[in-house]
Amino acid sequence: MKRKSILLVVLIVFFGFSKTNAQIKFDDKMIGAVQKGLAGFTFTDADAAKLSKVSVDKIDSEHIIAGATDPYMIRLNKIFGKYTTGYGYTFNYKVYIIKDVNAFATADGSVRVFSGLMDIMDDNELLVVIGHEMGHVVNHDSRDAIKAAYQKEAMIEGVASQSKTVATLTGSELGKIGSAMIDSKHSRRQESEADLFAYNFMKKNGYDVNAAESAFSILAKMSEGTQSDFITRMMSSHPDSKERAETAMKRAQMDGLYKPYVHQAAVVTPVKTSVKTTTKKTTTKKK
């Protein structure tokens, strides 16, 4: 009881001062101390999935999404459409029409791929990246990430539930959590485990595992080019891309599957549309 009372006082002081005096600053250590007080509340897989779903809906509303007949969506459906269920999850997927090179997956099984990523990777390389993101979901990294984002937002906005359950959040709060999901920084161990998941996913389903080395090599080259600043920020929590490529190559060598990968041009099969034609009947009057 004493410990809970101390925590309550800290929360009151924190929220009271932060709302009455905007000039007061709190360092990371103090914020971390308050966050620990929110760590004990119940946050289940179902909570993570529910919160992820509403957060993803918020993100979706802020992006241009490829329609069913868009070449990007046709291609993604061809690549990933057969893997919508598995590992205890139902995956749903969409393409954001945006030039950024990125993809993410959330605890509810939502997979979002940026068109900029699809522009630079072939089908196998793209499946490696999607497999990596699936790995974060299956390994519960995505659940842990949204829990951390929720705790941070709950602490800042004062929405922590005293009933030890997830509180209802406003649209702006969901937007912040959604952004945190996209930019979530998993540990290097989690990233390496997700890489391994992607490699095993390719191997299990009969794809060329050497695409893993190729995908990471592409990211490594981009980090040296014109998009280096963006790629560096995106990959800051990941192991070095060159290192990841070498690790993938060594795995393929150990499995006796290694061979230099040849990047393939993406082929999108256009949608066949049936055109209905009508023949106009003409009648002639007898004179």
Side-chain angles (χ1 to χ4, degrees):
M1 287 294 294
K2 185 177 180 180
R3 184 177 179 184
K4 289 183 178 179
S5 298
I6 293 173
L7 174 60
L8 182 60
V9 171
V10 172
L11 287 170
I12 291 172
V13 171
F14 175 79
F15 290 122
F17 278 107
S18 64
K19 291 184 180 297
T20 57
N21 190 341
Q23 299 303 313
I24 293 177
K25 303 287 185 179
F26 294 90
D27 61 26
D28 291 340
K29 288 184 179 179
M30 184 176 291
I31 291 175
V34 178
Q35 275 186 304
K36 286 180 181 178
L38 300 174
F41 77 96
T42 303
F43 195 92
T44 65
D45 286 350
D47 288 330
K50 182 179 179 180
L51 188 54
S52 294
K53 177 63 170 62
V54 292
S55 297
V56 167
D57 288 346
K58 172 71 173 172
I59 303 171
D60 285 351
S61 70
E62 297 169 348
H63 287 81
I64 299 173
I65 297 174
T69 59
D70 187 287
Y72 283 113
M73 192 60 194
I74 294 171
R75 182 182 169 207
L76 184 59
N77 187 55
K78 182 187 73 171
I79 297 170
F80 188 64
K82 65 182 78 172
Y83 303 113
T84 54
T85 58
Y87 307 98
Y89 290 89
T90 298
F91 294 95
N92 68 88
Y93 51 97
K94 294 179 181 180
V95 178
Y96 288 168
I97 304 300
I98 183 171
K99 66 180 181 178
D100 292 346
V101 178
N102 207 351
F104 67 92
T106 59
D108 67 314
S110 294
V111 178
R112 300 295 182 261
V113 183
F114 293 21
S115 60
L117 178 70
M118 298 183 73
D119 289 338
I120 65 169
M121 291 193 174
D122 69 19
D123 291 358
N124 286 331
E125 293 160 346
L126 194 60
L127 199 51
V128 169
V129 176
I130 296 173
H132 172 93
E133 297 303 327
M134 286 174 63
H136 281 310
V137 176
V138 175
N139 294 339
H140 294 294
D141 302 336
S142 300
R143 177 200 63 191
D144 296 342
I146 197 166
K147 178 179 179 180
Y150 171 80
Q151 287 175 307
K152 180 178 180 181
E153 193 59 30
M155 180 196 67
I156 293 173
E157 300 295 337
V159 299
S161 173
Q162 292 183 354
S163 62
K164 291 186 176 292
T165 58
V166 175
T168 301
L169 302 177
T170 66
S172 63
E173 290 159 357
L174 287 174
K176 291 176 184 177
I177 288 177
S179 297
M181 286 195 301
I182 295 178
D183 300 329
S184 60
K185 297 187 185 307
H186 301 294
S187 70
R188 295 204 165 213
R189 176 187 59 79
Q190 290 173 323
E191 295 294 354
S192 295
E193 289 175 351
D195 285 352
L196 178 59
F197 181 94
Y199 177 90
N200 288 334
F201 176 84
M202 298 292 285
K203 182 179 176 181
K204 175 184 176 181
N205 291 290
Y207 294 103
D208 188 346
V209 296
N210 296 289
E213 179 197 7
S214 182
F216 298 137
S217 294
I218 288 173
L219 294 176
K221 289 178 182 177
M222 289 191 68
S223 67
E224 300 169 355
T226 56
Q227 297 192 47
S228 59
D229 289 343
F230 172 78
I231 294 296
T232 299
R233 289 197 306 272
M234 185 188 79
M235 304 299 290
S236 61
S237 65
H238 293 63
D240 179 76
S241 293
K242 289 182 180 178
E243 177 186 326
R244 298 168 78 189
E246 290 174 2
T247 299
M249 180 182 69
K250 289 176 182 177
R251 284 190 182 124
Q253 288 173 335
M254 290 177 64
D255 287 339
L257 298 172
Y258 181 74
K259 60 181 179 181
Y261 185 78
V262 179
H263 177 86
Q264 304 292 320
V267 178
V268 177
T269 305
V271 177
K272 292 182 180 180
T273 56
S274 58
V275 180
K276 196 174 182 179
T277 58
T278 57
T279 304
K280 186 177 179 182
K281 285 187 176 182
T282 58
T283 56
T284 57
K285 292 182 179 180
K286 290 184 180 179
K287 292 182 179 179

